[in-house]
Amino acid sequence: MDLFDKITSSMGGPIGQHQKWSHGYFSYPKLEGEIAPHMLFNGKEHLVWSLNNYLGLANHPEVREADAKAAADYGMAYPMGARMMSGNSIHHEELENGLAEFVGKESAFLLNYGYQGMVSIIDALVDRNDVIVYDAESHACIIDGVRLHMGKRFVYQHNDLDSCEKQLERATRLAGQTGGGILLITEGVFGMSGAQGKLKEIIDLKKKFDFRLLVDDAHGFGTMGPTGAGTHEEQDCIDGVDVYFGTFAKSMAGIGGFVAADREIVDYLRYNMRSQIFAKALPMPMVIGLKKRFEMLKSMPELREKLWLITNTLQAGLKERGFDIGVTNTMVTPVYLKGDLYEATALTRDLRETWGIFCSIVVYPVIPKGLILLRLIPTATHSLEDVQRTLDAYSAMGEKLKAGHYREAAPVA
Ligand SMILES: Cc1ncc(COP(=O)(O)O)c(C=O)c1O
C-alpha cells in the first residue's frame, strides 16, 4: 500500500474533509487591512470578532513604532541560534524578570510559540513513573504534551471537581506503586467556553492529595485579575499554582510565550525543554516589541476596563435576546445554537454577507453533533456601536434560524 493512500481515503481528515467548500471562506479566510475591529474580508468591510487581540495592542501606534525601530536596529535574524548556545540577550532576560515579578513567581523563561513550549513543559516535568491528571477540554498543546508522557494519565470531566478528585485518588494509588509524583494540568480560561478553570478549588485538593499544578493561562494572562496578572490573581490563589504558563499570542498581540515558577523549577526547565533547547530563540525585534507591550499592559488599566465594558455589554445584550452563552465568566463569548453543519455554514454566511459580521464558527467534532458554536472575542478596541450592530444582526439571524430559513441552504461553494 502506498503511504499516501490513506490520505486520499480519509478525504482530508476530520476538519480537512470539508475543505473543498470551506477553504478560503470558513477555513483559512484572509482578513486584510490594519488589525482592528473593522477589516476587509473578500474586499468588503467586516466587523471582526475573532481576534484574540484582547487589549487592542496589536496595532497600537506605540507598539508599531517600537516593533519597527527594533527591526531596524537589529534585523529579524538576531540573535542567531538557540538561547542555550548563542541566542541569549539582555533583552530576553529583562523581559523574563519582569514577567516573573508580574505573575507572582520567582523566575520565568521565554518560549518560542506557546504551543511548543507547553508540550515541552509537560514533557520535561514528568518521567515514566509520574502520573498526569488533566481536564477533558484541554487545549491541543496540553493533549500533545500528555501524548509524549510514557507513564499513566487520567482525564477528568471538564471542570468537574468530583471527577477530578476521583482521578486524583486513582493517580495517588498508582504513584504510590511507581514511586512517582502527580502533575495536574488545567487551563486558567478555557478558550472555547470562556469558563475559568476552578483553580482555587483544585488547589484546595492539595490538602488531601500530593500533586503539583500546571496552569495554561493563555487567555487569562493580561486580561484576568485586578492587575491583569492572570486567572490565579483573579481567584486569589497565586501561590497554589506551581507552574504558570502564558502566551504572547493573545493579550500581548505578539508571538511566543513564557513559563513561570520557583527559581529551581525554571532553572531545570531552561535546560530540559527540548523544543526550546533545540530551536532558535525569539527574534530580538519581537522581544523588544514585547517589552513595550508588557509595559503598556501594566501601565494602562483603561485597556482592561474597556475590554470588560465591551464584554459585559455584549454578553448582557445576548442574554437579554435569549441567546445561550453557556457558562462563560470571562471575555470569551460563545453563542450556542441548535442546528446542523449546513445551517451553521448558511447562518455564518448570512452574518457575513448581510450584516458584515465576521466571527468564528465551531461545529462537530470540536463540539457535540447538533450544536453550533459562534465564538465572539471582544477587545478593548471594539466600540459600543459595534456591540449594537452585532446584537441587531444576531437577533435577525436567530429569528431566521428558528423559522428554519437556513435548513435548506447548502454550504458555500
Ligand atoms: C489555551 C491555549 N494554550 C496554548 C495556546 C498556544 O499558544 P501559541 O499561539 O502561543 O502557540 C493557545 C492558542 O491558541 C491556547 O488557546
Side-chain angles (χ1 to χ4, degrees):
M1 178 175 149
D2 182 71
L3 179 78
F4 292 164
D5 283 352
K6 63 178 173 298
I7 295 177
T8 322
S9 60
S10 77
M11 296 174 29
I15 304 174
Q17 61 178 313
H18 303 298
Q19 64 180 293
K20 277 209 176 63
W21 53 265
S22 73
H23 191 84
Y25 195 89
F26 297 106
S27 48
Y28 293 83
K30 293 188 197 75
L31 287 170
E32 292 166 322
E34 300 275 319
I35 296 173
H38 299 258
M39 296 180 73
L40 292 178
F41 174 59
N42 282 351
K44 216 179 95 188
E45 183 266 347
H46 276 73
L47 170 49
V48 178
W49 291 101
S50 58
L51 307 179
N52 291 115
N53 181 25
Y54 289 123
L55 301 180
L57 291 177
N59 213 19
H60 194 287
E62 287 180 42
V63 167
R64 292 287 294 262
E65 195 186 320
D67 287 350
K69 181 170 183 320
D73 287 349
Y74 288 93
M76 292 303 290
Y78 189 92
M80 282 301 293
R83 287 288 293 286
M84 193 161 98
M85 304 302 283
S86 52
N88 199 15
S89 88
I90 186 76
H91 289 291
H92 289 68
E93 290 183 350
E94 277 176 8
L95 179 57
E96 286 168 344
N97 293 339
L99 288 163
E101 193 186 352
F102 185 60
V103 301
K105 298 290 161 202
E106 278 178 8
S107 187
F109 187 70
L110 298 185
L111 307 164
N112 324 321
Y113 281 97
Y115 196 118
Q116 297 164 4
M118 177 52 95
V119 170
S120 287
I121 293 167
I122 298 171
D123 180 46
L125 286 176
V126 290
D127 69 24
R128 63 172 67 245
N129 296 319
D130 298 323
V131 185
I132 296 178
V133 176
Y134 66 106
D135 188 286
E137 278 187 23
S138 293
H139 186 269
C141 65
I142 297 175
I143 304 292
D144 285 0
V146 172
R147 276 179 175 172
L148 285 180
H149 179 41
M150 309 270 258
K152 282 274 182 203
R153 79 271 326 242
F154 295 114
V155 62
Y156 62 89
Q157 283 165 32
H158 172 56
N159 249 353
D160 181 332
L161 286 167
D162 289 339
S163 171
C164 179
E165 196 167 336
K166 277 200 192 88
Q167 301 305 352
L168 277 170
E169 276 165 15
R170 294 175 75 190
T172 303
R173 271 199 302 277
L174 195 74
Q177 289 160 17
T178 59
I182 300 171
L183 176 66
L184 195 147
I185 313 171
T186 181
E187 292 182 32
V189 172
F190 286 88
M192 286 291 159
S193 67
Q196 287 179 50
K198 296 184 177 161
L199 306 187
K200 217 177 164 68
E201 290 93 332
I202 290 173
I203 290 164
D204 270 349
L205 290 172
K206 285 186 172 183
K207 291 179 195 138
K208 279 173 96 172
F209 303 96
D210 212 358
F211 66 91
R212 294 292 185 175
L213 175 61
L214 163 61
V215 173
D216 174 344
D217 209 17
H219 294 268
F221 174 73
T223 59
M224 303 297 291
T227 69
T231 313
H232 61 332
E233 185 192 43
E234 171 79 23
Q235 297 184 19
D236 194 17
C237 57
I238 291 181
D239 292 343
V241 174
D242 298 292
V243 185
Y244 181 88
F245 161 95
T247 166
F248 301 140
K250 303 190 192 289
S251 59
M252 289 275 273
I255 273 286
F258 69 99
V259 56
D262 284 353
R263 187 168 307 284
E264 198 182 4
I265 307 307
V266 174
D267 286 348
Y268 170 81
L269 289 172
R270 187 184 285 123
Y271 280 90
N272 289 279
M273 289 188 293
R274 294 170 62 82
S275 67
Q276 309 305 307
I277 298 168
F278 299 105
K280 193 172 190 270
L282 278 178
M284 192 71 113
M286 188 74 260
V287 173
I288 292 175
L290 287 167
K291 284 170 86 176
K292 180 71 199 172
R293 291 159 172 78
F294 184 43
E295 208 180 283
M296 293 170 74
L297 182 152
K298 288 190 293 183
S299 64
M300 297 173 73
E302 63 271 25
L303 298 178
R304 251 186 343 275
E305 280 160 25
K306 177 74 186 308
L307 167 66
W308 289 109
L309 171 71
I310 297 299
T311 300
N312 294 335
T313 315
L314 178 70
Q315 295 188 354
L318 286 165
K319 278 200 255 182
E320 260 166 41
R321 284 164 174 75
F323 286 102
D324 174 9
I325 62 168
V327 295
T328 182
N329 52 3
T330 65
M331 58 286 149
V332 176
T333 306
V335 177
Y336 297 96
L337 303 165
K338 286 200 175 66
D340 58 24
L341 178 65
Y342 291 98
E343 287 175 294
T345 53
L347 71 84
T348 305
R349 186 174 162 72
D350 197 23
L351 278 175
R352 291 185 189 174
E353 302 304 321
T354 311
W355 290 286
I357 306 282
F358 188 101
C359 55
S360 302
I361 150 184
V362 184
V363 291
Y364 177 82
V366 182
I367 55 169
K369 254 193 178 130
L371 268 189
I372 303 167
L373 165 53
L374 296 177
R375 195 176 57 152
L376 299 167
I377 302 293
T379 73
T381 43
H382 283 97
S383 68
L384 291 173
E385 292 74 45
D386 293 334
V387 173
Q388 194 55 50
R389 176 174 154 191
T390 305
L391 292 174
D392 292 345
Y394 266 62
S395 290
M397 174 272 289
E399 289 305 314
K400 282 166 119 177
L401 179 67
K402 268 192 219 139
H405 173 88
Y406 300 119
R407 211 162 289 149
E408 299 308 313
V412 65

